[in-house]
Amino acid sequence: MNAVAELSVVVVLPDSPMHASDLLWSTLREETPALEVVVVVDRRSSPDVAAVIDTAARSDARVRLVDSDRTLGRSAALAAGLDRCSAPRVAVADADGLSIRGGYSDLVASLQSSGSDLAVGVAESIAKHRFRVGRAIDGALDTDARSIRIVDRPGLVSDDILCGKVVRRDLLRSLVRAEDPWLEELLVARLYLAADRIDVLSRSVVFCRERPAKRGAVPMAPRWVEDEARIWAAFATAPQTVRESYAREVISRDVLSAKAVDLLAAGDDRPDARDLVVDLVHDLTTTSLSTLTIWKRWQLAVIALGHSSLVDVARRDGRPIRIDSVPVFDSSALLADAWASLGLRPDEDVRDAFISRFVSRPGATTLSVVEPDSDSIDISVIIPTYNVVHYVDELLESIRASVGVRIEIIVVDDGSTDGTRDRVLAHQQADPRVRLVRSPGAGGGQARDAGIELARGAYLAFADGDDVVPPRTYANLLSLARRSDADVINGSYLKFFTTSTWDAGTGFNQAYALPLENVTIETHPQLVRHRAVWNRLIRREHWQKTAFPFPGVPRSNDIVAMTSALLSARSIAVSPLPAYVYRDRPGGGSMTSRAGSVDYTVSYFSEEATCAALVQQRESAPVTREYWAMVLNADAWQNIGKFLDRRSGDAEEDRRVAEQIAKLLARAPHTEFRRLKAENQAVWALAAEGRFNEARIMLRTEKFASTLSASQLIRAISAAEGLSTISRATIDSLALKYLIRRFISDSSWQTDEFAPALPLLRRRLTDAVFPLSVVPNSLEERLARAILEADDVDSARSAIKPSSASIAATLRGGMRTTLTGALTQMRPGGVTRLVARRYRDRDRVRFPIRHFDFDDRTWSAEISPELFPRAGVWVMEIEYEDSLGMRRSPLKIDEEANGLIPGRFQRLTAARAGKNRSMIRVRDSIVERVGNRASRMVGKRR
């Protein structure tokens, strides 16, 4: 070694010679830190891989090969590799991965500066679409950090891959037990828990190829449960926040995955599954399961109760079973605080609850109503109306048909001119419960406020003049209200269009899917996804104390008031029975049809910003996460899209809309905004700046990217680059996907129209903190280097143009067979390797045959039949580095006559097919040929 190694990169039991060669090539290009690569190989089971490592070690002293028996396991192999490391810090690389230039250097520099035990970076996939391979939650890898403890970012424990990390060698070695079965997730968990201080780098440091999960067992299979129990045992002494973070993620990601549920449902009841779930849930709080839908919570409860075979019954389309098939449940398994989020009544038996929700008709238990003895009014139904003459009769008739409940119907007309008032007066004359008043102001919001002032009922209900209330709705909700003593009682609803009907029980993250009592917005944050007032009963006293007045705005005038009522409710109940039928009215008279207009868009975003402020004041992590997922991906996102479709281009209108979008976006937590796709982040940020032309381009990229011109995409991404709300990682993702890869794959982009993209790409490639990462030894890298060197389209186009010129080579036989050739365009000092692919192999799989260096004039490689996977005809190519990166060229092979060894005894000879002279024929040895011939003769005789 020329220098003392600062970092040892350990590669454990690689299977593919090509992948091992790629990893070596990408890693050895690092100039700093001084490193060594220790590759652990089983020579007996992987001779082809060992041959690649041997040839690399002969040409580069930084490469070491450690022989290890594969049958001893990966733990023993890793221990053997760590024992041979000479550096104080180590990184364990994925055998099929690649090193990103500067990745290890940044990790080591961070540790040298901070003195921490462990530095963690991002592992990125090199699949068709880039994505982070690690599974850290809660934005744990989104921002840089130095010298933190695991309790500061408990979401790190869900990052269960070993690559992309640099750690003190002695610390990692103390955690690796050669005799233990290999379980990478367990080792990573121990590493995070053992590290006193941790550095986090939010940049990508390594690439991984897309591959299946490292653990071969399906989640909840017996072997998987056994492994997970070992991992969970490692958290026995971990801080509570760390245990909760890990348990939440394992439950949602693995225990309740579709494959796990199917596996459990297909077998017998599993005590091991029960024990694991009980252990995971034991220390969780009432809000820990808040991200799960109510269906998932019940599936988890069924497993904890010891009846995992019933897990497929507890879902919307669940397997039907008989009531007498439901076993007795031992409810003591549900004593942990987290199970309170099932929403059971205090006196409700768990088995009876399961039967009512999944075996008999869901919601049937809410139907019984006790007729009140008092003459007091139970419910005040408030209806604002404006020009709904064709619909108001149907609404009032449906409400008047209510039984088992004392109601008053307050209709507040907002100046109708189409005969609506006359129709309401007719109902008033026929039914004393109906009262018509004129709104003192303008708009549906002020009409509702006027109705509330007149209300006398214990509970408030709202309806719009063009909708319908199903029979017995108010009686059912009132029964639930009296039993649960809830402040807000929700029902499901139906939304019907001219050609279809939508059931809310399947939407809003299943907030209305099953009966709930004694829950809060923290335990069921999914309830914040729907803020309309018309499918609920609200205690009038609660409304008057906590709800905001309805504003006089044209759009979304109920979301602030309803958000306030939900956030402040001490108790909430839910009935899954449809309590309302919402009509999506055709024509231009409804609010839905006017969505996207400037006034409606400004109104919506103004009201949503107030809702966001209320959520922020609540300081509830579950509510914040659910609220912003709804706003950024659904409600507000749809309003942006509708506005962009109807936008006129008027500067003053654009300014008004952008101002309101910016106010809302300013309240979005960074971690929630970063959860969005890169394209969506760009749309939001551009719209907030009033760059609506560019925002519309980015909105179209996902479905219509092929129809967008280079100038459009370049303009949009360049505009996004200059915004502080957009992270550099987001810009890199957009630049890679829509500029670099498009330029490589689409020849129509390889024109001067692409020139404006070059300065942007140069800035991203040279960013001192977060440079754009390109795949080593790829066309991405060649294009990137061309941009850095020349910065013109012609050079970029030439860089990615396939090499058609073959390189002359001479095959010399004898005691040793060599391939030699003259130095042409190859860069002196660069890495060079000889690769072979099977002639007429459709998959074009390449095998590295030899790494070698060259002098100032020639290159030379000694080859032997043992370097090839099998006998046959092989096409020979040479991969080398020029000034722009890796280049592959075919060889043009001439064979030098060998007078010492007759041709039939030569195992390597030149071959050709027509004008193709790039091939070598590999023969079996004489002994193998004789044996093969004898076998064929014996076979013929039989």
Side-chain angles (χ1 to χ4, degrees):
M1 301 283 293
N2 296 327
V4 177
E6 299 174 278
L7 176 69
S8 297
V9 179
V10 183
V11 187
V12 181
L13 300 177
D15 294 313
S16 165
M18 196 66 179
H19 290 168
S21 178
D22 288 340
L23 176 59
L24 284 174
W25 197 342
S26 64
T27 304
L28 294 173
R29 297 189 309 175
E30 289 285 311
E31 297 178 358
T32 58
L35 57 79
E36 63 179 2
V37 182
V38 178
V39 187
V40 185
V41 180
D42 185 347
R43 288 186 179 275
R44 290 172 294 281
S45 63
S46 302
D48 49 350
V49 176
V52 169
I53 308 304
D54 280 332
T55 56
R58 282 194 289 269
S59 60
D60 194 320
R62 295 175 295 171
V63 179
R64 295 184 181 182
L65 187 148
V66 177
D67 191 10
S68 177
D69 187 350
R70 183 184 291 269
T71 61
L72 297 178
R74 297 183 68 85
S75 295
L78 177 57
L82 292 173
D83 290 340
R84 290 289 300 275
C85 294
S86 62
R89 299 180 179 90
V90 296
V92 181
D94 257 9
D96 60 353
L98 296 168
S99 301
I100 295 178
R101 190 180 293 273
Y104 287 135
S105 175
D106 287 352
L107 291 172
V108 170
S110 178
L111 291 178
Q112 290 174 337
S113 172
S114 67
S116 296
D117 301 318
L118 170 66
V120 183
V122 174
E124 189 173 346
S125 165
I126 52 174
K128 181 178 180 181
H129 299 295
R130 291 275 184 91
F131 61 89
R132 292 185 169 195
V133 179
R135 300 189 287 188
I137 61 172
D138 299 332
L141 291 176
D142 286 350
T143 55
D144 291 354
R146 295 291 182 274
S147 294
I148 63 171
R149 299 181 186 274
I150 188 62
V151 72
D152 299 323
R153 289 197 185 180
L156 285 171
V157 295
S158 296
D159 171 32
D160 55 5
I161 59 174
L162 199 51
C163 67
K165 300 170 177 61
V166 171
V167 60
R168 282 189 8 241
R169 178 169 60 89
D170 61 327
L171 175 61
L172 181 59
R173 183 63 184 89
S174 69
L175 301 173
V176 177
R177 302 160 188 169
E179 67 279 4
D180 283 355
W182 175 254
L183 187 55
E184 183 171 341
E185 294 90 335
L186 174 59
L187 179 57
V188 176
R190 287 174 175 168
L191 181 58
Y192 273 121
L193 296 173
D196 183 53
R197 296 286 178 175
I198 303 170
D199 292 354
V200 176
L201 275 68
S202 57
R203 64 156 292 186
S204 298
V205 295
V206 293
F207 284 123
C208 297
R209 289 178 171 85
E210 187 176 11
R211 63 195 189 284
K214 292 176 290 300
R215 273 194 279 175
V218 174
M220 298 307 289
R223 174 62 185 276
W224 185 93
V225 171
E226 180 183 344
D227 288 345
E228 196 58 48
R230 291 174 57 203
I231 298 173
W232 184 240
F235 286 92
T237 59
Q240 170 62 23
T241 54
V242 176
R243 289 169 57 85
E244 179 180 354
S245 179
Y246 182 81
R248 282 192 295 112
E249 182 64 6
V250 169
I251 288 170
S252 61
R253 183 187 67 200
D254 298 319
V255 173
L256 296 177
S257 66
K259 288 184 177 180
V261 170
D262 290 343
L263 177 71
L264 292 172
D268 298 328
D269 290 338
R270 294 263 305 282
D272 61 330
R274 175 200 62 204
D275 295 343
L276 175 64
V277 168
V278 169
D279 287 345
L280 289 172
V281 178
H282 183 268
D283 294 332
L284 297 186
T285 66
T286 56
T287 62
S288 297
L289 303 179
S290 61
T291 58
L292 301 179
T293 65
I294 187 61
W295 301 99
K296 292 290 188 183
R297 298 183 206 193
W298 267 101
Q299 289 178 337
L300 192 68
V302 168
I303 301 172
L305 289 165
H307 301 288
S308 55
S309 61
L310 296 179
V311 72
D312 62 332
V313 177
R315 55 187 179 192
R316 187 171 188 82
D317 55 346
R319 171 171 56 91
I321 61 172
R322 295 165 53 90
I323 292 179
D324 56 12
S325 299
V326 180
V328 176
F329 290 161
D330 179 8
S331 59
S332 63
L334 303 184
L335 294 180
D337 292 343
W339 298 117
S341 66
L342 289 176
L344 302 180
R345 300 193 307 273
D347 59 344
E348 190 171 13
D349 179 75
V350 177
R351 181 177 183 271
D352 292 342
F354 180 84
I355 291 172
S356 69
R357 287 158 173 77
F358 306 111
V359 183
S360 62
R361 185 173 53 167
T365 56
T366 65
L367 289 175
S368 60
V369 176
V370 178
E371 189 70 32
D373 296 330
S374 171
D375 292 333
S376 62
I377 295 172
D378 298 319
I379 301 172
S380 297
V381 185
I382 299 166
I383 308 169
T385 58
Y386 177 75
N387 288 352
V388 286
V389 67
H390 299 297
Y391 308 98
V392 72
D393 283 324
E394 187 177 6
L395 170 69
L396 291 175
E397 288 168 1
S398 69
I399 297 175
R400 289 173 56 194
S402 298
V403 295
V405 58
R406 301 182 191 280
I407 63 171
E408 64 174 351
I409 306 170
I410 304 172
V411 182
V412 187
D413 188 70
D414 191 26
S416 296
T417 59
D418 67 343
T420 297
R421 285 180 53 83
D422 294 337
R423 297 310 310 147
V424 177
L425 283 171
H427 285 275
Q428 179 176 276
Q429 294 171 359
D431 190 335
R433 298 176 299 174
V434 179
R435 182 168 30 152
L436 173 65
V437 297
R438 185 183 296 275
S439 176
Q446 293 188 38
R448 287 197 186 103
D449 283 335
I452 293 170
E453 290 295 321
L454 298 172
R456 295 172 292 165
Y459 293 90
L460 301 176
F462 298 91
D464 289 344
D466 53 356
D467 298 329
V468 177
V469 178
R472 297 187 64 83
T473 286
Y474 293 135
N476 293 333
L477 293 181
L478 182 63
S479 175
L480 179 57
R482 287 173 172 165
R483 189 175 65 224
S484 66
D485 194 32
D487 290 331
V488 180
I489 303 90
N490 306 277
S492 186
Y493 72 91
L494 302 175
K495 183 174 184 178
F496 71 92
F497 307 84
T498 54
T499 59
S500 63
T501 301
W502 182 74
D503 183 356
T506 64
F508 303 114
N509 220 0
Q510 288 80 52
Y512 303 141
L514 293 175
L516 297 173
E517 295 187 33
N518 304 308
V519 301
T520 66
I521 199 68
E522 273 84 13
T523 61
H524 288 75
Q526 296 84 1
L527 292 167
V528 82
R529 285 179 171 264
H530 183 233
R531 282 90 48 83
V533 294
W534 30 249
N535 63 318
R536 319 170 195 266
L537 292 187
I538 303 138
R539 192 190 302 274
R540 181 161 63 95
E541 182 183 7
H542 172 68
W543 184 276
Q544 291 173 334
K545 286 183 178 180
T546 63
F548 282 52
F550 289 102
V553 296
R555 176 74 171 165
S556 303
N557 55 32
D558 53 354
I559 63 175
V560 172
M562 198 63 241
T563 298
S564 175
L566 286 169
L567 291 175
S568 57
R570 60 178 176 77
S571 178
I572 301 174
V574 171
S575 168
L577 298 176
Y580 199 78
V581 179
Y582 180 91
R583 190 194 312 266
D584 191 73
R585 198 160 23 117
S590 67
M591 286 195 300
T592 303
S593 65
R594 294 194 291 271
S597 66
V598 173
D599 289 341
Y600 272 49
T601 303
V602 169
S603 171
Y604 165 75
F605 278 101
S606 173
E607 294 301 290
E608 197 66 85
T610 304
C611 292
L614 293 173
V615 171
Q616 190 175 42
Q617 292 171 8
R618 182 73 181 200
E619 296 183 340
S620 167
V623 176
T624 298
R625 183 167 51 243
E626 195 76 29
Y627 170 79
W628 283 107
M630 174 269 297
V631 168
L632 296 174
N633 291 291
D635 285 20
W637 179 252
Q638 292 170 3
N639 275 274
I640 286 180
K642 290 175 181 177
F643 170 72
L644 291 175
D645 287 341
R646 297 183 59 169
R647 173 174 167 264
S648 68
D650 179 81
E652 177 58 22
E653 292 180 348
D654 285 355
R655 184 198 63 77
R656 291 175 57 204
V657 173
E659 180 179 305
Q660 296 302 324
I661 293 175
K663 287 181 179 179
L664 175 61
L665 191 60
R667 293 190 178 274
H670 174 75
T671 55
E672 302 306 320
F673 187 69
R674 286 288 299 270
R675 294 181 197 272
L676 299 177
K677 295 186 298 185
E679 294 86 349
N680 294 20
Q681 290 183 44
V683 171
W684 270 104
L686 290 166
E689 292 292 327
R691 303 292 297 267
F692 291 113
N693 289 328
E694 290 80 6
R696 191 166 190 273
I697 291 171
M698 293 310 305
L699 186 66
R700 297 176 60 198
T701 53
E702 196 68 17
K703 294 183 179 180
F704 308 106
S706 61
T707 66
L708 298 172
S709 67
S711 59
Q712 288 176 306
L713 284 168
I714 294 168
R715 185 173 78 249
I717 297 174
S718 297
E721 184 198 20
L723 305 181
S724 59
T725 48
I726 297 290
S727 69
R728 287 171 289 191
T730 298
I731 297 300
D732 286 352
S733 177
L734 296 174
L736 177 69
K737 184 175 180 179
Y738 296 110
L739 299 181
I740 290 180
R741 289 188 172 180
R742 188 72 178 270
F743 184 86
I744 291 171
S745 62
D746 190 344
S747 60
S748 66
W749 273 51
Q750 299 170 12
T751 66
D752 289 340
E753 189 180 11
F754 190 75
L758 299 179
L760 182 155
L761 294 174
R762 178 185 282 268
R763 287 192 298 273
R764 296 307 319 127
L765 290 164
T766 56
D767 189 289
V769 178
F770 209 112
L772 171 61
S773 301
V774 293
V775 178
N777 313 330
S778 69
L779 293 179
E780 288 180 13
E781 184 180 56
R782 294 188 62 80
L783 178 59
R785 288 192 181 180
I787 292 171
L788 293 176
E789 288 189 5
D791 203 17
D792 65 80
V793 176
D794 289 339
S795 298
R797 184 170 52 245
S798 299
I800 62 172
K801 185 178 180 180
S803 175
S804 58
S806 58
I807 295 178
T810 301
L811 180 66
R812 293 186 173 91
M815 300 302 295
R816 295 179 178 178
T817 304
T818 60
L819 268 174
T820 59
L823 181 65
T824 53
Q825 61 265 46
M826 289 180 282
R827 179 166 59 91
V831 176
T832 307
R833 67 181 176 185
L834 197 64
V835 297
R837 61 178 174 84
R838 193 76 181 268
Y839 179 53
R840 291 181 176 176
D841 178 12
R842 293 183 179 181
D843 294 333
R844 303 180 73 85
V845 176
R846 292 177 170 84
F847 296 87
I849 300 302
R850 177 71 73 185
H851 284 235
F852 54 88
D853 292 318
F854 38 81
D855 58 28
D856 293 337
R857 293 178 296 176
T858 62
W859 57 268
S860 176
E862 181 181 328
I863 60 176
S864 66
E866 288 71 27
L867 296 177
F868 293 82
R870 64 187 66 89
V873 178
W874 293 84
V875 177
M876 306 302 297
E877 298 170 326
I878 193 167
E879 292 182 347
Y880 57 92
E881 286 187 277
D882 60 13
S883 61
L884 299 179
M886 189 270 284
R887 173 74 83 180
R888 180 186 300 123
S889 295
L891 295 180
K892 184 178 181 180
I893 301 174
D894 289 321
E895 186 169 10
E896 188 176 87
N898 179 17
L900 298 177
I901 303 176
R904 65 178 181 274
F905 295 113
Q906 293 182 25
R907 297 185 60 191
L908 294 176
T909 57
R912 65 177 61 188
K915 294 182 179 181
N916 187 346
R917 297 167 54 188
S918 63
M919 296 176 287
I920 286 179
R921 184 184 302 279
V922 181
R923 292 188 174 93
D924 291 327
S925 67
I926 294 294
V927 174
E928 289 171 324
R929 278 185 270 175
V930 170
N932 292 338
R933 179 173 296 183
S935 298
R936 288 195 298 268
M937 293 177 64
V938 171
K940 289 180 179 180
R941 290 174 181 173
R942 290 179 180 174

